Amino acid sequence: MVHEKPHHPHWPLAALVFAFVFALGLSSVHEPSTWLSIRAGAKILSAGVLPGADTFSYGAGGGAWSTHSWLADVLFAKLDAWGGPGLLTVLKSAVLAGGFALLLPINHGSPLVAATLLCLGACAGWRGFTETAACFDFLFFALFVRILRPRHRFEWTAPAAVAGLTALWANLHGSVALLALWIVGLKVFKASLRTATRERLGYWAMMTACVFLLSWNPHGWGVVRYVFYDAAGSMDAWRTPIFSLYGVLAAAGFVSCFFTLQQEFVTTLACANVLALSLVLPGLRPLAALAACPLIALALGHFFKPLRDTRSRVARWVVVAAALLLIFRLAVTRPLSPARGYGASSLSGAVNFLSVNGVRGRMFNESESGAELAGRTERLVFIDGRPGLYNATFRREAADWPRLFRALDSVYRFDYAVLRNRRAAAPARVLDEDPGWRLAYADDHALVYLKKTGANALIAAQTPARVFAPNRLWPDALDAALARPRDAAKVLGELDAWMLQAPDCVQAMIWKAYALDRLKMADKADRLLELAGERRGLSWDPELKAAYAFVLEARGRAASAKSLYRDAARTARRLGDGVLAGEVATRLRNCYTRVP
C-alpha cells in the first residue's frame, strides 16, 4: 500500500531540497511592505506596546490601525539593525526551505518524484518568497501537516507541539493562523470517527488548547478581525496569475484529491482548502503551490511503482535542479529582483536629498512608494499600500493623481512631492507644466519636486530652472535645446550637474552620451556609453535599456539596438508596464522598417 508508512524519510535528498529552495529564496524578489514592517517593529521595541492608530500616514487621518504580525515585525527590525537586508533574506530563505524540505517524506516511496514536485512548487511560488510575515506560513503549514498526518496511538507530545505552534503562528502572522485551527479540527473530526473514547477526549483537549492559545497574542480574539487581511493582495506587486505553473499544480492537486481523500483525510482536506482559498485570495497562491505537492506525490503512488533513488538518478536530479536554478536566475532574479522592494536601491537617493537639504512640510507620494518612504524616514506619507486603512474613494483619487493633482493639492496643501521616475508614461509631466512647482532632484528611480511657495520656498528658489525635463523616456527630448547654440552649452552644464547630484544615475550618462554625439563629440560619447553599459542598473531597468538602445540606434549600431529593444520589451511585460512595452515595440518596429 502506498500509504502504509506515514513518512518516507530521506535526509540526503531533503538536504538537497532545502539547499534548492534556500538558493531560490536568496535570489528572489522583494516586497516594499517590508520597510513598513521593519518600522512598525522598531516602534514596538521602543514603545513596548502595539500601535493602536496609524502614525505613518497623514492621508489616513490617524485612523485605527495595528499590526497582526507584531512578532515578525520585531524580528525583522532586529535583523535589519544587525545585518541589513542580507541577514533578513537569509532568515526568510531558511524558513521557506525548511517548509519545503519538511514535506519531502510525505510521498509514495519515491523521494525523487516528491523532491521534483517540491522544487517545481518552489518555482511556482516564487512570488511569495519575500521578506514578509507570510514566509512563516510555509513552515507552519508543513509542520502541522507533518505532525497531524500519522495515524498512531494518541500521545500528548504531538498535541503539546501543535498548541505551541498555534500560539507562535498567531503572533508571527495572525491573519493566516486560523488555518491552524482548521487543520487541527480536521484531525479531531477524523480521529473522533474511529478512536476510543479516551483518545477522542485527548484530541478534543488538543483542539480546546489550540483555540485558547490562538488568542494568546496582544490582540486576543481581535486577531480574527485580520483573517486573511493581506492575502487578497490588492496592492501586491507580485500577484501570482492563475494561468501559470501555479495553476497547473493547483489543477493537479484538485484532481489528486479524488485518489488521496480516503486514506489521507487530514492531509488532503488541509491542502485542498488552501488550494480552494488561493483561487480567490491571490496572496495564498504561493502557499497553495506548496500544498499541492504532497497531494500530487501521494496520488502518483496509486499509478506508479516506487522509484529507487540510485546514485545515478540522484546525480541526474541534481543536474536538473541546477538547471532550474539557472533558468530562475535568468528569468526572475536578473530582470525582476532589483526592480522594487526591500533591499532594492530605489528611493535612497531621494531620501538622502530630502535629509541633506532639510526639505520639510507635507509630502505627496504614490501608493507604490509609500511603504519605503514611511519605513526609511520619519516623514508622514500621503498614502501607502496597506489594505483596509484607506477608504476606496481616497485610493481611487490617489491612483488617479496625474489628473487630479491640483485638486488634491488644494485639499491637502502639499509642500513637496516624491515620485517614481516613470519615464514612459511620464505622469510627473503634470508637475513639470505647473509653474508653482520645480524639479529639484532626479535619478534613475525617483523625482523630487518642491513647491515654490511655502515651507521649501528658499530651497526651490535656489534650484535653477532646467532647459529640459529629464523625466522622459527618449533622449531626443534634448534635440530642441541642442539645436540652439546658446542652449547647447546649458544642456551640457545641466547634464554635468545632474551627474554630480546623482552619481549613480545611468540615465544622466546615457543622455549626455546622446548630447555629445549630436554635438559631434563621438569619442567622448563612446566612453560614456561604455561606462553606462557597465552599470548594474542597465542590466535590469527596461527604461534604461530602451534609452541606451535609442542612443545606439542613433549612432548607427542597429543590430545592438534591436537586441536591447527586445530585451527591454520582455522585461517591461514581466513588470506589467504596458505603456513602456508599447513604446519600445514602436521603436523596434521602426528599426526593422527603416530603409538603410
Side-chain angles (χ1 to χ4, degrees):
M1 291 293 293
V2 296
H3 305 287
E4 184 177 344
K5 292 177 64 178
H7 298 135
H8 303 261
H10 194 296
W11 293 109
L13 202 55
L16 290 174
V17 171
F18 183 96
F20 178 89
V21 181
F22 185 81
L24 215 64
L26 287 179
S27 59
S28 195
V29 295
H30 309 283
E31 172 62 41
S33 64
T34 307
W35 290 112
L36 204 53
S37 178
I38 292 171
R39 177 87 184 279
K43 275 187 170 291
I44 293 171
L45 286 171
S46 62
V49 295
L50 264 62
D54 173 57
T55 58
F56 302 125
S57 166
Y58 67 88
W65 177 83
S66 189
T67 173
H68 56 83
S69 55
W70 75 272
L71 188 55
D73 297 339
V74 168
L75 181 60
F76 289 175
K78 281 287 189 182
L79 292 175
D80 180 76
W82 291 338
L87 184 57
L88 183 48
T89 300
V90 167
L91 171 73
K92 169 209 68 174
S93 302
V95 168
L96 291 167
F100 278 83
L102 278 169
L103 290 186
L104 177 67
I106 302 178
N107 60 71
H108 59 278
S110 297
L112 284 173
V113 174
T116 302
L117 286 169
L118 287 166
C119 290
L120 290 175
C123 292
W126 63 266
R127 289 173 172 85
F129 285 18
T130 56
E131 295 82 5
T132 62
C135 72
F136 295 103
D137 297 337
F138 293 83
L139 181 59
F140 282 114
F141 180 81
L143 284 169
F144 272 79
V145 171
R146 278 290 302 270
I147 293 173
L148 296 176
R149 177 178 180 249
R151 298 182 296 273
H152 49 58
R153 186 178 180 85
F154 179 85
E155 296 178 358
W156 285 104
T157 306
V162 167
L165 289 172
T166 300
L168 189 58
W169 199 351
N171 287 277
L172 282 168
H173 197 204
S175 70
V176 183
L178 284 177
L179 282 178
L181 293 188
W182 177 250
I183 301 173
V184 172
L186 292 173
K187 181 67 175 181
V188 172
F189 175 77
K190 178 64 175 177
S192 65
L193 297 178
R194 297 182 179 180
T195 57
T197 302
R198 183 179 178 182
E199 291 192 359
R200 286 202 299 268
L201 291 175
Y203 280 115
W204 277 106
M206 176 180 68
M207 181 69 181
T208 303
C210 290
V211 171
F212 171 73
L213 289 174
L214 181 71
S215 67
W216 206 13
N217 67 84
H219 294 291
W221 288 110
V223 75
V224 177
R225 296 199 313 267
Y226 300 104
V227 59
F228 302 129
Y229 176 81
D230 50 3
S234 59
M235 298 301 296
D236 185 10
W238 306 112
R239 178 176 293 195
T240 305
I242 290 181
F243 297 102
S244 61
L245 180 56
Y246 148 78
V248 174
L249 290 175
F254 281 123
V255 173
S256 300
C257 293
F258 291 100
F259 304 99
T260 62
L261 181 60
Q262 184 176 359
Q263 292 174 304
E264 294 284 349
F265 180 84
V266 175
T267 301
T268 299
L269 285 187
C271 295
N273 277 276
V274 173
L275 287 170
L277 286 170
S278 71
L279 298 178
V280 294
L281 299 172
L284 287 181
R285 289 176 185 172
L287 180 62
L290 169 66
C293 295
L295 291 182
I296 301 171
L298 289 168
L300 289 174
H302 289 270
F303 303 98
F304 302 99
K305 293 181 179 180
L307 184 67
R308 291 186 58 194
D309 50 322
T310 62
R311 289 186 178 181
S312 61
R313 285 173 177 167
V314 172
R316 288 196 295 269
W317 183 91
V318 170
V319 172
V320 172
L324 275 177
L325 279 176
L326 178 61
I327 293 171
F328 183 86
R329 182 168 183 80
L330 295 176
V332 176
T333 305
R334 286 186 61 186
L336 303 182
S337 179
R340 57 170 75 96
Y342 176 71
S345 57
S346 53
L347 301 180
S348 55
V351 169
N352 182 67
F353 173 84
L354 297 176
S355 175
V356 169
N357 291 276
V359 177
R360 55 193 177 89
R362 280 198 165 188
M363 171 173 59
F364 172 79
N365 64 277
E366 299 155 293
S367 176
E368 295 83 353
S369 58
E372 181 173 353
L373 288 168
R376 301 185 67 167
T377 71
E378 297 291 330
R379 301 168 186 268
L380 293 178
V381 299
F382 177 62
I383 188 174
D384 58 73
R386 285 173 289 175
L389 181 61
Y390 306 92
N391 64 61
T393 301
F394 181 84
R395 281 196 173 280
R396 285 195 301 270
E397 291 177 349
D400 196 20
W401 71 266
R403 185 176 65 87
L404 301 175
F405 184 79
R406 289 191 179 184
L408 292 171
D409 187 23
S410 67
V411 174
Y412 294 98
R413 303 294 181 184
F414 306 127
D415 293 295
Y416 63 100
V418 180
L419 306 174
R420 293 176 299 151
N421 192 358
R422 295 180 290 167
R423 292 167 282 265
R429 192 188 301 266
V430 64
L431 275 79
D432 292 329
E433 297 170 352
D434 191 326
W437 289 81
R438 177 161 291 177
L439 179 64
Y441 176 85
D443 61 23
D444 293 330
H445 312 289
L447 307 167
V448 177
Y449 287 85
L450 304 178
K451 184 179 282 187
K452 293 181 179 179
T453 59
N456 303 301
L458 181 60
I459 304 174
Q462 294 173 346
T463 304
R466 298 176 182 265
V467 177
F468 62 90
N471 51 318
R472 299 293 187 270
L473 180 59
W474 307 117
D476 60 1
L478 300 173
D479 286 352
L482 291 174
R484 299 186 294 269
R486 181 182 300 177
D487 289 335
K490 292 182 181 179
V491 169
L492 293 179
E494 283 188 24
L495 288 168
D496 288 336
W498 188 9
M499 294 170 64
L500 184 63
Q501 185 187 48
D504 295 327
C505 184
V506 181
Q507 183 193 356
M509 300 175 68
I510 295 172
W511 279 39
K512 185 170 182 182
Y514 177 82
L516 291 173
D517 184 61
R518 291 298 305 269
L519 296 174
K520 310 303 182 184
M521 290 183 274
D523 291 343
K524 293 183 179 180
D526 284 336
R527 179 55 183 158
L528 268 180
L529 284 176
E530 182 181 342
L531 291 174
E534 295 171 355
R535 295 297 179 93
R536 184 169 178 264
L538 190 65
S539 65
W540 63 266
D541 190 319
E543 290 189 331
L544 295 180
K545 287 180 185 178
Y548 195 88
F550 184 93
V551 179
L552 294 179
E553 180 189 356
R555 293 180 58 76
R557 296 163 60 180
S560 299
K562 290 175 184 177
S563 176
L564 272 178
Y565 279 138
R566 287 192 293 267
D567 195 5
R570 283 193 298 268
T571 307
R573 286 192 293 269
R574 294 292 306 279
L575 292 171
D577 193 339
V579 175
L580 175 60
E583 289 274 355
V584 176
T586 300
R587 294 297 318 176
L588 186 58
R589 187 166 52 250
N590 291 340
C591 275
Y592 281 105
T593 58
R594 183 176 294 112
V595 178

